[in-house]
Amino acid sequence: MTMKTASVFPKNKISFSRQGSRTFAKMSYPVHTGTYSEVETDNHIFHFNLNQEIIRARSKKRSWHHPHEWLKRTMGDDWIYYSTGGYTGVFEATGEYYLPNFNYSSNSILGGTPFRSPEIHELTTDWFHILESCRENNLKDTESTNFYNNILRNTPLYLKEKATAFHNIIDGHISVLPPDARHVEYHLIPIMISRGCLYKCRFCKVKNALPFKELNHLQIDKQIEQMKYLYAADLANYNSIYLGEHDALMTGHKTILHAINKAYNTLDLYTSYLDGLNCFFFGSATSLLEAPAELFKELQLLPGKVYINIGLESPDQSTLDQLGKPISTAQVRDSFKRIQDLNNTYSTIEISANFIMGASLPPAHYQEVEKLIRDTQTHQQAKGSIYFSPLTFDKPSRARLFEFNRLKIMSRFPTYLYIIQRL
Ligand code: SF4
């Protein structure tokens, strides 16, 4: 890691152009990716992206929960608190060393309520005033003065308006991102290539009322151009896209390939500071079974990796009926088989599957899940993650965690909890 330190004062140090990691490393200490600037005061550390917008913050005070824990601000202007969870079981449960905590409703069964902590709340609400007072102590050279003027131009109101502009481009919030996006810390550029989903399952809390609809190439290209303008200089810090919405795999395969190529080229992701390229999207049992073989052959020819996440929920019919998911167990089993075939055939494509877990589900659900994730394989698999999504929101639960651990131990696939994160 190299950096240029422009000015050092007892209470206020600015580091311009810090060059962080080029990969999203899974480490038990914070590894920040990309190029960013840093302001360090006696009490706080702040990070800014290449548009001089705040992206991370932490306190250095003794009252801060842990020196490795951070607040991160997303493009949707949400603050997320990354906690260590005491390093007990977080990695095993999520595949990551840090547990994201949200200040909105999610299905996580881990973690606490960090946003109720005065220290964390204060930093998310007062960061701008803290930086304003930093400027008063730091008008000592032109470079520092310009830097402060730039970051303070990006006020909380400006950032809120920018998040609104961001959501306007994609026609609203993304209610859930694919769980595999954890591999890039959910740091991606969303492009809608379709809206809505096929099934409108009764249990689902992230759906919208829109029937499935494919967007045309002009609508997709316009979003990509608008995203290029909005992300601006900070595009250099991105190497991943998300194709929305809930069932992008249902979109015609020419449109999927068009969107990926157009986004990679227009957004200059080939020249990103970060290594590699990644594309994430969702599919369903129907879209997976109907997807033509050419799609996967052509996806394999693209640079980088493609992650597709399929919501199967249950291989038990009584459970599917209880969930109000209008598919059959035959579709679930056939999908699971095709997932394994595709994962075994294409090295740069990884297809993962989601199943539901919850106290109210019939015992047959777990018996049938076990048959799929244990008995269909003779060896431990390296890819094709299985995610278990708790049915209930906002209820940390030891019983659910115990249940998850039992499933994880007997699974022959990498198996994790699915934490619902929006953008
Ligand atoms: S689970 Fe998927 S298919 Fe079902 S309603 Fe939710 S988004 Fe739509």
Side-chain angles (χ1 to χ4, degrees):
M1 189 180 283
T2 60
M3 65 174 179
K4 177 186 165 200
T5 302
S7 57
V8 180
F9 300 101
K11 293 182 188 244
N12 198 335
K13 185 174 99 176
I14 306 173
S15 302
F16 300 109
S17 304
R18 262 184 176 268
Q19 293 180 289
S21 173
R22 291 179 185 272
T23 59
F24 293 91
K26 295 183 196 298
M27 306 297 276
S28 60
Y29 52 90
V31 177
H32 301 307
T33 53
T35 308
Y36 58 92
S37 304
E38 181 179 279
V39 171
E40 179 169 5
T41 72
D42 283 351
N43 290 327
H44 298 101
I45 296 177
F46 301 98
H47 286 177
F48 304 86
N49 67 17
L50 295 174
N51 296 325
Q52 285 82 45
E53 296 155 349
I54 190 164
I55 48 168
R56 284 184 288 265
R58 83 165 170 90
S59 169
K60 293 163 67 183
K61 295 179 193 167
R62 291 175 69 87
S63 51
W64 191 251
H65 293 209
H66 190 286
H68 285 180
E69 299 189 349
W70 283 80
L71 277 161
K72 180 177 165 185
R73 197 185 63 86
T74 70
M75 195 67 173
D77 204 30
D78 285 320
W79 282 101
I80 298 174
Y81 184 75
Y82 284 89
S83 68
T84 63
Y87 295 114
T88 51
V90 170
F91 185 78
E92 290 76 9
T94 66
E96 307 299 317
Y97 282 98
Y98 290 91
L99 182 69
N101 294 266
F102 313 112
N103 56 5
Y104 53 84
S105 182
S106 172
N107 67 343
S108 181
I109 55 172
L110 298 169
T113 51
F115 285 95
R116 288 193 200 154
S117 144
E119 193 78 35
I120 292 167
H121 178 74
E122 178 201 302
L123 201 47
T124 59
T125 51
D126 283 358
W127 62 267
F128 189 76
H129 298 124
I130 297 168
L131 287 165
E132 274 183 320
S133 42
C134 284
R135 174 168 62 180
E136 303 312 312
N137 293 330
N138 207 22
L139 296 173
K140 309 215 170 150
D141 64 69
T142 312
E143 197 171 19
S144 302
T145 304
N146 288 343
F147 175 77
Y148 270 106
N149 287 342
N150 286 336
I151 60 172
L152 291 171
R153 210 169 279 139
N154 295 326
T155 62
L157 179 62
Y158 168 82
L159 295 173
K160 197 165 186 282
E161 287 172 355
K162 185 163 179 175
T164 302
F166 169 72
H167 288 130
N168 285 342
I169 295 172
I170 50 176
D171 209 12
H173 272 87
I174 294 164
S175 59
V176 60
L177 286 166
D180 300 303
R182 65 188 176 84
H183 296 309
V184 298
E185 295 173 8
Y186 300 85
H187 184 74
L188 40 72
I189 300 169
I191 311 290
M192 292 295 137
I193 64 169
S194 60
R195 299 303 318 273
C197 66
L198 296 177
Y199 307 140
K200 306 298 173 208
C201 315
R202 195 167 52 240
F203 80 97
C204 176
K205 295 186 177 70
V206 296
K207 64 178 178 280
N208 55 38
L210 300 171
F212 177 83
K213 181 183 165 215
E214 180 171 332
L215 301 189
N216 63 42
H217 290 202
L218 277 180
Q219 291 170 307
I220 293 166
D221 294 355
K222 186 175 167 201
Q223 287 176 62
I224 295 171
E225 293 294 344
Q226 289 174 317
M227 286 300 185
K228 181 176 180 160
Y229 177 76
L230 199 75
Y231 280 74
D234 203 44
L235 274 177
N237 280 327
Y238 284 82
N239 70 344
S240 301
I241 59 170
Y242 159 67
L243 302 182
E245 189 178 28
H246 297 304
D247 195 353
L249 185 57
M250 195 67 203
T251 314
H253 89 272
K254 297 271 183 234
T255 300
I256 295 173
L257 293 163
H258 167 82
I260 297 173
N261 280 314
K262 179 80 181 174
Y264 284 179
N265 283 307
T266 306
L267 303 174
D268 283 334
L269 300 192
Y270 292 111
T271 61
S272 170
Y273 175 80
L274 305 180
D275 294 340
L277 284 162
N278 303 284
C279 174
F280 300 89
F281 55 100
F282 286 113
S284 63
T286 302
S287 60
L288 180 70
L289 293 173
E290 290 182 4
E294 305 95 270
L295 170 66
F296 301 101
K297 283 184 193 153
E298 293 188 57
L299 288 175
Q300 168 78 8
L301 295 175
L302 291 172
K305 291 190 174 166
V306 176
Y307 295 89
I308 308 171
N309 178 255
I310 311 289
L312 296 178
E313 322 315 350
S314 179
D316 169 59
Q317 195 61 55
S318 61
T319 306
L320 289 169
D321 295 344
Q322 182 179 322
L323 295 172
K325 185 153 191 119
I327 59 174
S328 68
T329 52
Q331 283 174 292
V332 173
R333 280 176 224 292
D334 290 348
S335 297
F336 196 79
K337 164 111 184 30
R338 190 165 196 210
I339 289 172
Q340 308 323 320
D341 291 345
L342 291 166
N343 279 337
N344 290 334
T345 306
Y346 299 107
S347 60
T348 62
I349 301 173
E350 177 161 1
I351 308 184
S352 57
N354 305 332
F355 293 99
I356 283 291
M357 56 186 286
S360 61
L361 300 178
H365 167 67
Y366 294 102
Q367 289 156 8
E368 294 303 319
V369 165
E370 286 174 26
K371 285 184 196 164
L372 275 191
I373 68 175
R374 180 187 58 201
D375 302 344
T376 58
Q377 307 296 317
T378 51
H379 301 96
Q380 206 67 24
Q381 301 299 303
K383 64 191 279 208
S385 294
I386 301 295
Y387 292 96
F388 282 95
S389 180
L391 257 181
T392 46
F393 273 45
D394 285 337
K395 278 193 184 160
S397 162
R398 273 187 175 277
R400 293 288 74 71
L401 200 52
F402 185 78
E403 183 180 304
F404 166 75
N405 284 334
R406 190 185 66 77
L407 291 160
K408 182 178 173 78
I409 287 166
M410 62 81 179
S411 173
R412 293 214 156 102
F413 295 88
T415 298
Y416 303 107
L417 283 174
Y418 185 169
I419 298 174
I420 289 181
Q421 180 160 337
R422 76 178 186 187
L423 183 60

